[in-house]
Amino acid sequence: MDVSSAVTQIVVIGVGNDFRRDDGVGWAVVTDLAHRAARRPLPEGTRLIRTDGEPTRLISAWEDARLAIVVDAAHACPALPGRVHRLRLDADLPHTPRSETSSHGFALGDTVRLARTLDRLPGELLVYAVEAADTSLGTDLSPQVAAAVAPLVQRVEDDIVRYVADAR
């Protein structure tokens, strides 16, 4: 497979809201990845996007991608704030209530099912869900979630490098 920018389309999508504390983790990861890319460029054809997770915007962000990596805050019960879950979404997703997964009004799983129905899924979809401690109003990440950002940026970068290498 040719890995030129015309063929390889990689998108990293940070989902969240900078004004709801840990809900901003997806945006923080994308921002840090952009800063790193200024020093160590990402492969051609890689886009970095921040979105609020509204389904049509999310689907539009990944629809032409061969690899989409989504980073989002998640609710878990019981929560271990800062714990990161890596999911490859290529199988049928069970229905899970919003309160157990997403910090947004429309769960990511519902968006994936909608995209599948519309035939608008990326070639490969990876999701990093970071367990949140606090999604109340405010602009700072909790210490546990903030500590997860740098290692998560490295994991995303490693996924991109591995994907490009495997595509060759």
Side-chain angles (χ1 to χ4, degrees):
M1 173 192 305
D2 180 10
V3 293
S4 69
S5 62
V7 173
T8 301
Q9 186 63 257
I10 300 167
V11 62
V12 180
I13 306 166
V15 177
N17 181 334
D18 271 345
F19 300 105
R20 292 205 34 227
R21 299 199 184 275
D22 289 345
D23 195 35
V25 69
W27 289 18
V29 167
V30 167
T31 298
D32 283 9
L33 194 56
H35 288 135
R36 280 180 131 176
R39 296 185 313 274
R40 192 173 54 238
L42 295 168
E44 278 189 64
T46 301
R47 294 179 297 141
L48 305 175
I49 297 173
R50 292 173 21 155
T51 182
D52 61 4
E54 190 279 324
T56 58
R57 285 190 282 274
L58 192 53
I59 292 169
S60 292
W62 74 38
E63 75 176 315
D64 293 327
R66 293 189 183 263
L67 170 64
I69 301 172
V70 176
V71 182
D72 195 6
H75 292 290
C77 189
L80 181 58
R83 180 170 44 185
V84 177
H85 302 269
R86 182 181 185 271
L87 310 164
R88 182 178 309 274
L89 299 184
D90 54 5
D92 285 334
L93 298 169
H95 175 71
T96 52
R98 182 189 68 81
S99 63
E100 293 180 16
T101 56
S102 177
S103 59
H104 311 289
F106 199 77
L108 182 59
D110 294 333
T111 301
V112 170
R113 281 187 285 278
L114 175 61
R116 182 178 289 122
T117 299
L118 298 173
D119 196 26
R120 291 178 68 187
L121 279 172
E124 184 175 345
L125 178 58
L126 296 177
V127 174
Y128 283 98
V130 182
E131 291 185 29
D134 182 2
T135 56
S136 65
L137 293 178
T139 57
D140 295 328
L141 297 175
S142 67
Q144 305 96 317
V145 171
V149 171
L152 183 49
V153 169
Q154 185 60 54
R155 288 176 72 180
V156 169
E157 198 171 26
D158 292 346
D159 280 330
I160 293 169
V161 168
R162 193 172 19 259
Y163 177 81
V164 171
D166 289 350
R168 291 189 176 147

